[in-house]
Amino acid sequence: MSEITASAAAPVVAESATARGRRARAALRTVQVLLALFFAVASALPKLIALPAAVDSFAEIGWGDTGMYVIGTLELAGAVALLVPVLQSVAALALSGLMVGAFVVQVSVFDGENAATPLILIVPLALVAWARREQNARLPRLVRRGA
């Protein structure tokens, strides 16, 4: 009787682990989509269409329009790359680097006015970078094959 119970319990554990894995992957994908939407719409778009607040901020930093467009383009590229399977981890790392820079600028130029935002964004970006890290091994092979 204990053999029957043990063999019947094994598939239940495997199924729950699989279901948990599917839920975790779905949750991670949702985080990636939300991050991509944030970086594309709330962060890159105001810079790329030169909203007055973005123009003023970059003028105060001393980077002008060129810096604003470069940062906006990098954020938009990162947002798109968060949705491309082979680029997800690299994109999350790159956007984390941008957020470190944004934090430094917020603290040094704007007296920490919005310094929490980049720090908060680094947490889910780090999670995506870590969870999708296996893609990093595929990327150099794809680049070499394409070259």
Side-chain angles (χ1 to χ4, degrees):
M1 178 119 162
S2 65
E3 291 174 15
I4 294 171
T5 305
S7 64
V12 172
V13 170
E15 287 176 27
S16 68
T18 303
R20 191 173 349 147
R22 276 195 302 266
R23 284 192 306 272
R25 284 190 302 276
L28 183 63
R29 190 66 172 163
T30 301
V31 167
Q32 286 176 240
V33 169
L34 291 173
L35 283 168
L37 284 171
F38 173 81
F39 278 104
V41 176
S43 195
L45 187 63
K47 294 173 184 80
L48 295 175
I49 64 172
L51 283 182
V55 172
D56 294 344
S57 294
F58 277 85
E60 189 172 340
I61 296 169
W63 294 357
D65 289 347
T66 303
M68 179 180 66
Y69 290 126
V70 167
I71 298 296
T73 302
L74 290 172
E75 289 174 339
L76 183 59
V80 171
L82 277 173
L83 304 175
V84 178
V86 75
L87 299 175
Q88 294 167 344
S89 181
V90 172
L93 287 172
L95 287 170
S96 294
L98 274 176
M99 292 302 98
V100 168
F103 172 76
V104 170
V105 168
Q106 288 295 327
V107 169
S108 62
V109 177
F110 299 109
D111 298 323
E113 186 177 321
N114 295 315
T117 303
L119 292 180
I120 291 168
L121 287 168
I122 287 174
V123 174
L125 287 168
L127 174 68
V128 170
W130 180 82
R132 303 294 191 195
R133 67 190 180 281
E134 72 278 354
Q135 300 296 334
N136 290 339
R138 289 181 47 207
L139 187 57
R141 288 194 300 266
L142 288 173
V143 169
R144 273 186 251 125
R145 190 178 344 157

